């Protein structure tokens, strides 16, 4: 038990205001005690299996950390696809994301306390020495104040907290003399100039060497910052003050928080997403619990826990009440307008809000936590990962997933609160998905698109700081961790700060700048320990009963627009406002309403504003729906075995990979490389996937030339050196304005960086085989796709296990994969497209010459990466859905190519080829686990 805790348990509520220290400790204590209470619900998981999963997490961490240290350190981050370090300035800029990179070995610092949690004390000691030896905090680089605070300052403080804990234990870190703390202090002073504003809100960026004001700083002109950016400093800054005795840090962080509190919208008690740091005006007046605001709320509650200052809890409770009143629309959490909180501001949710159920556990409000978590889990089950944003009807809105840890965090806290083994199973799924879809030979790669399973050359430091910590702790018993985790609080980056800080250096008196607080009808929880007796009233199946109705919430959901609009007006009989989707320019009444908007009352003006916003959303959605989604190029040959998946742009002509089987084949460069004339090396590309460089002629012309040479597919590689789908919007290749029905082969586009991964692989391994598809395929299915005789597959238990379809991905079973490039294809029946491919296409008249700069406008504007999914096959929502479902069933029925027993390929001819792959596959599995 912590020093602060005084040993009070939480069997009963503490009815009066408890001293902060008691609440801090008991909140943590409650979380633990529940785990031993739960006995029913999901089947319990044995200690053995939990240990196995814990070991798997350790092995995964080693894979991520080991590759970072080997291939990237001292760079800030690992680029896991190209297996090198990401050094700012040496890679094309990714915009704001790069502001986390300060040339200070970010990933190493962010990983420090994870090493101790994962019981890697020796490695921790080495890592600390490296930080002290190598890290420079005085680089001429502009960084985000927020990211530097949570990742670097937090990382150094977390490292220091555990270093002194270890030193006290007497075995490790005996040489340690607060060096990390000194670095943290140095960094703290470097960040302070950011607070030089009249409001006390920090500038969003600072130059580590030159600060803000100097001309060399190249920053300081910004006027806005996000609420989370200004409101997520108090834990680190207060810890720094209390560790060092230098009060200035805590004072500055408090001042910023006080200002935000003052600026809350007084009638709704909500805050906006961005604020002007000079005037304090809200710049973006939408409000949610995800991106831009998230950790502001988190830090109010946790500042109360760590610092014991009542005002933080009162503020948190006031905001929480508003969140539950307006934003929480169970199981959804939807952004609203701060002035009109009954108006939803968006029709989609972002992935960052997945931390909120965890915070609700800390608050003691378990029911909505269970509901939201379950909804998120259903989305994950559909897409393997949580897309960066998804709509209220659970379609993908932004398809990336940078291996964010928030959902694992909430899973851990819910398990601690409920002890329900269901959450262990959830954690197991997260582990499986990471290994199956994100693991690459050189680390773990972010998902570029959860729909295609394609990767991005990115492994953020928070993946090591947070994901592995929460996953490991989920399966660990108390004795698996070398210290008592309950003595610490997690920062938003999962760094550990000791609760005893609450009683140290308290010279910074709380600045009670606000006097009035909203009275809340929240008496069960306000000043008491969340009591598990109340949370789970004599019913061990409580959590399950909350989850049950949500089991099909994603699959059964039907498209819908903005859910809630000024409900109070409807109730009072007022005419509902005109919605963008209903607007008809020919309707005089509509035109009249439009005219009124913005002119008469403030309500009309707001209707006008919302109407415009909806119009913009609607038209961009319509635009997007006309676009094709991105495709995947998966490298399947040794040593990749399907683990590297590249995001590819589709073509508006040729074989549509979303409707047909994948195309698999070895790659060969065409000659001429631009593919703009008849190929001079048809023998090299015959039966293969031709690589062609972009430029000099139309895409369709290239396609015809390689098709005439006998290629079974084509990959156009961008001629613009250094281009990458990380930094440029993906587009679809347009036709040539003529009939392109003669083009039967699939064509995909890769930016230069992704294309180079294939070209480099050819250099190194000569034979490179790829799979062109709409969605990356399961690795076991890829190996099986080459038609190994079933007795070989069956004699390999590893593969047998992986063979079981367990997800949507798996359901695109191996049977559907055929090897168009291999003579071993077991398919007897050809689709019309394939049969026409086998007959020689007629010779084509030369298409119009054009150069790459004059491609169709769609090339510039189409961005399938931001596509909304337009169809869903899993609901019973629309006729279209049903038709598609039927169609896909019919296709399967009429395609009896799937009898694994009935192979037509001579076994001998494939065995030699396959033994090698099978051995390599087995070796890889062994290496990995
Ligand atoms: C982390 O850096 C922190 O958790 C932050 O508060 C927001 N989210 C990222 C990871 O997704």
């Amino acid at each position: 038990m912590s020093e602060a805790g005084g040993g009070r348990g939480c069997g009963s509520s503490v009815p009066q205001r408890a001293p902060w220290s008691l609440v801090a400790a008991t909140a943590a204590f409650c979380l633990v005690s529940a785990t031993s209470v739960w006995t029913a619900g999901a089947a319990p998981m044995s200690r053995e299996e939990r240990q196995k999963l814990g070991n798997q997490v350790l092995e995964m961490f080693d894979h991520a950390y080991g590759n970072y240290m080997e291939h990237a350190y001292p760079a800030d981050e690992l680029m896991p696809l190209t297996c090198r370090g990401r050094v700012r300035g040496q890679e094309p800029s990714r915009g704001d994301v790069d502001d986390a990179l300060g040339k200070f070995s970010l990933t190493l610092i962010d990983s420090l306390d994870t090493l101790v949690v994962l019981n890697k004390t020796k490695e921790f000691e080495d890592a600390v020495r490296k930080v002290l030896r190598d890290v420079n905090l005085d680089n001429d680089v502009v960084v985000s104040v927020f990211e530097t605070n949570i990742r670097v300052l937090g990382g150094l403080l977390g490292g220091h907290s555990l270093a002194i804990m270890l030193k006290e234990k007497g075995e490790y870190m005996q040489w340690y003399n607060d060096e990390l703390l000194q670095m943290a202090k140095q960094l703290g002073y470097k960040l302070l100039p950011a607070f030089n504003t009249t409001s006390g809100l920090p500038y969003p960026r600072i130059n580590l060497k030159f600060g803000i004001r100097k001309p060399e700083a190249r920053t300081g002109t910004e006027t806005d910052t996000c609420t989370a950016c200004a409101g997520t400093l108090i834990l680190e800054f207060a810890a720094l003050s209390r560790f060092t005795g230098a009060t200035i840090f805590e004072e500055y962080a408090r001042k910023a928080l006080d200002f935000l509190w003052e600026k809350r919208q007084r009638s709704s008690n909500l805050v906006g997403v961005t604020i002007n740091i000079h005037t304090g005006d809200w710049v973006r007046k939408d409000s949610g619990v995800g991106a831009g605001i998230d950790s502001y709320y988190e830090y109010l509650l946790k500042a109360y826990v760590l610092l014991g200052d009542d005002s933080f809890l009162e503020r948190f409770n006031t905001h929480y009440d508003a969140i539950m009143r307006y934003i929480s629309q169970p199981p959804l959490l939807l952004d609203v307008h701060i002035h009109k909180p009954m108006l939803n501001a968006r029709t989609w949710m972002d992935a960052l809000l997945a931390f909120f159920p965890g915070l609700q556990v800390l608050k003691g409000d378990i029911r909505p936590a269970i509901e939201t978590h379950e909804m998120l889990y259903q989305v994950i089950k559909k897409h393997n990962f949580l897309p960066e944003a998804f709509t209220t009807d659970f379609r993908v809105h932004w398809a990336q997933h940078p291996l964010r840890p928030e959902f694992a965090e909430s899973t851990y806290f819910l398990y601690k609160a409920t002890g329900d083994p269901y959450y262990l199973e959830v954690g197991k799924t997260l582990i499986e998905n990471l290994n199956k879809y994100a693991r690459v030979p050189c680390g773990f790669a972010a998902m570029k698109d959860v729909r295609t399973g394609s990767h991005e050359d990115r492994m953020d430091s928070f993946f090591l700081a947070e994901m592995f910590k929460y996953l490991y702790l989920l399966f660990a018993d108390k004795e698996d961790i070398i210290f008592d985790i309950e003595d610490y609080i997690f920062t938003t980056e999962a760094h550990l700060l000791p609760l005893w800080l609450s009683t140290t250096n308290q010279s910074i008196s709380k600045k009670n700048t606000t006097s009035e607080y909203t009275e809340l009808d929240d008496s069960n929880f306000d000043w008491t320990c969340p009591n598990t007796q109340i949370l789970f009233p004599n019913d061990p199946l409580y959590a399950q009963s909350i989850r049950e109705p949500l089991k099909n919430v994603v699959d059964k959901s039907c498209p819908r627009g903005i859910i809630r609009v000024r409900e109070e007006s409807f109730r009072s009989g007022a005419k509902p406002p005109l919605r963008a989707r209903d607007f008809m320019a020919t309707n005089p009444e509509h035109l009249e309403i439009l005219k009124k908007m913005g002119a008469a009352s403030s309500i009309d003006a707001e209707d006008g504003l919302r109407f415009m916003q909806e119009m913009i959303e609607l038209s961009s959605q319509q635009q997007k729906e006309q676009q094709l989604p991105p495709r995947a190029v998966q490298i399947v040959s040794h040593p990749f075995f399907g683990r590297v998946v590249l995001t590819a742009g589709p073509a508006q002509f040729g074989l549509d990979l979303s409707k047909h089987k994948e195309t698999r084949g070895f790659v060969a460069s065409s000659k001429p490389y631009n593919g703009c004339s008849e190929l001079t090396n048809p023998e090299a590309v015959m039966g293969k996937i031709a690589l062609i460089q972009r430029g000099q002629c139309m895409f369709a012309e290239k396609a015809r030339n390689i098709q005439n040479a006998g290629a079974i597919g084509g990959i156009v590689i961008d001629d613009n050196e250094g281009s990458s789908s990380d930094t440029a919007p993906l587009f679809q290749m347009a036709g040539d304005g003529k009939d392109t029905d003669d083009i039967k082969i699939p064509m995909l586009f890769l930016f230069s960086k992704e294309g180079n991964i294939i070209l480099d692989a050819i250099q190194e391994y000569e034979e490179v085989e790829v799979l062109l598809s709409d969605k990356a395929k399961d690795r076991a299915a890829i190996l099986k796709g080459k038609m190994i005789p079933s007795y070989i597959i069956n004699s390999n238990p590893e593969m047998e296990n992986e063979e079981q379809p367990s997800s949507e991905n798996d359901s695109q079973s191996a049977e559907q994969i055929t090897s168009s490039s291999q003579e071993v294809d077991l398919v007897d029946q050809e689709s019309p497209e394939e049969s026409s491919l086998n007959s020689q296409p007629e010779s084509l008249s030369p298409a119009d010459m054009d150069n790459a700069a004059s491609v169709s406008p769609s090339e510039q504007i189409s961005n399938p990466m931001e596509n909304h999914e337009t169809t869903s096959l899993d609901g019973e929502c629309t006729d279209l859905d049903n038709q598609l479902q039927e169609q896909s069933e019919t296709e399967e029925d009429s395609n009896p190519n799937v009898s694994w027993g009935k192979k037509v390929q001579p076994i001998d001819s494939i065995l030699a080829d396959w033994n090698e792959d099978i051995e390599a596959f087995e070796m890889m599995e062994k290496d990995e686990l």
Side-chain angles (χ1 to χ4, degrees), residues 417-473:
T418 63
D420 185 342
Y422 175 81
Y423 296 107
L424 297 176
E425 296 297 335
V426 172
K428 188 177 171 185
T429 305
L430 299 183
I431 290 175
E432 280 167 4
N433 287 349
L434 282 170
N435 275 328
K436 232 172 174 179
Y437 305 110
R439 189 175 181 129
V440 293
C442 195
F444 288 85
M447 305 309 291
K448 163 77 82 192
D449 189 317
V450 296
R451 296 164 301 180
T452 59
S454 57
H455 292 139
E456 191 174 343
D457 202 1
R458 165 175 181 190
M459 186 177 85
D460 288 74
S461 69
F462 52 67
F463 183 55
L464 289 100
E466 300 192 59
M467 182 72 91
F468 293 111
K469 232 178 242 155
Y470 289 123
L471 286 178
Y472 184 73
L473 288 170

Side-chain angles (χ1 to χ4, degrees), residues 110 146-147 150-151 232 294-295 298-299 352 355 388 402-406 409 461-463 466 491-494:
D110 227 3
F146 165 78
E147 297 292 357
I150 65 168
R151 302 198 204 193
T232 311
D294 48 3
S295 44
E298 178 182 0
Y299 270 35
L352 286 166
F355 89 103
E388 273 296 74
L403 309 181
R404 290 199 188 279
E406 283 78 3
E409 174 184 350
S461 69
F462 52 67
F463 183 55
E466 300 192 59
T491 68
T492 191
E493 188 78 357

Side-chain angles (χ1 to χ4, degrees), residues 48 171 206 257 281 339 374 380 404 577 614 694 728 766 920:
E48 202 189 5
E171 194 184 344
I206 195 160
L257 274 182
D281 293 338
H339 292 96
E374 182 58 26
I380 289 175
R404 290 199 188 279
E614 285 182 11
R694 181 184 182 184
E766 288 179 20

Side-chain angles (χ1 to χ4, degrees), residues 69-357:
M69 291 309 286
E70 191 179 338
H71 301 291
Y73 180 77
D76 283 317
E77 283 179 347
L78 171 71
M79 296 171 72
L81 296 185
T82 45
C83 210
R84 61 202 163 100
R86 181 182 293 281
V87 179
R88 193 144 167 215
Q90 286 179 18
E91 303 294 330
S93 167
R94 299 173 300 170
D96 291 356
V97 187
D98 284 340
D99 289 344
L101 313 176
K103 300 189 176 175
F104 36 34
S105 302
L106 176 66
T107 301
L108 179 66
I109 294 179
D110 227 3
S111 302
L112 287 178
D113 52 9
T114 306
L115 288 165
V116 186
V117 172
L118 270 54
N119 221 339
K120 293 177 179 293
T121 325
K122 181 75 198 53
E123 289 89 334
F124 172 70
E125 190 145 7
D126 289 348
V128 174
R129 285 187 199 278
K130 285 200 175 75
V131 170
L132 301 180
R133 188 191 66 197
D134 300 340
V135 172
N136 178 15
L137 297 172
D138 196 39
N139 300 310
D140 176 12
V141 51
V142 175
V143 293
S144 150
V145 172
F146 165 78
E147 297 292 357
T148 307
N149 173 59
I150 65 168
R151 302 198 204 193
V152 186
L153 189 56
L156 293 170
L157 291 170
H160 171 69
S161 304
L162 298 189
I164 54 177
M165 176 277 296
L166 287 170
K167 185 175 180 182
E168 205 178 303
K169 280 184 181 282
E171 194 184 344
Y172 291 96
M173 301 299 289
Q174 295 307 300
W175 53 270
Y176 182 71
N177 221 358
D178 291 354
E179 290 88 344
L180 289 176
L181 182 60
Q182 292 319 315
M183 282 184 81
K185 194 170 169 187
Q186 187 199 349
L187 182 59
Y189 279 118
K190 282 187 167 298
L191 295 180
L192 282 188
F195 293 80
N196 195 1
T197 56
T198 42
S199 65
L201 298 178
Y203 280 94
R205 293 183 192 84
I206 195 160
N207 184 306
L208 283 177
K209 193 180 183 70
F210 298 110
I212 299 264
R213 289 288 153 105
K214 293 201 185 112
E216 306 94 298
R218 305 186 305 279
T219 189
T221 51
E222 301 94 336
T223 51
D224 309 335
T225 196
C226 73
T227 301
C229 302
T232 311
L233 297 148
I234 186 71
L235 292 187
E236 293 81 2
F237 273 47
L240 186 55
S241 284
R242 291 177 183 225
F243 269 132
T244 61
T247 56
I248 189 166
F249 304 108
E250 186 169 336
E251 280 163 15
Y252 274 54
R254 277 177 182 265
K255 200 174 158 215
L257 274 182
D258 290 347
F259 190 83
L260 287 174
W261 173 247
E262 282 297 307
K263 288 291 165 185
R264 75 194 183 280
Q265 211 290 320
R266 297 297 176 115
S267 55
S268 67
N269 282 321
L270 292 171
V271 288
V273 172
T274 47
I275 187 166
N276 184 306
I277 53 175
H278 304 300
T279 63
D281 293 338
W282 290 111
V283 179
R284 272 187 54 192
K285 299 184 179 106
D286 42 327
S287 185
V289 295
I293 302 185
D294 48 3
S295 44
Y296 162 64
Y297 294 135
E298 178 182 0
Y299 270 35
L300 284 179
L301 183 57
K302 289 184 176 178
Y304 167 66
V305 173
L306 184 68
L307 307 175
D309 183 333
D310 293 353
S311 70
F312 291 131
L313 182 62
E314 289 177 63
R315 291 178 195 181
F316 174 80
N317 280 337
T318 305
H319 285 311
Y320 189 76
D321 184 54
I323 291 167
M324 296 315 284
R325 198 183 295 254
Y326 304 120
I327 293 168
S328 171
Q329 298 168 44
L332 312 181
L333 289 159
L334 273 181
D335 285 23
V336 298
H337 293 277
I338 53 174
H339 292 96
K340 264 300 188 186
M342 294 307 290
L343 269 187
N344 287 327
R346 283 183 194 166
T347 52
W348 46 273
M349 290 164 278
D350 63 64
L352 286 166
L353 61 74
F355 89 103
F356 200 67

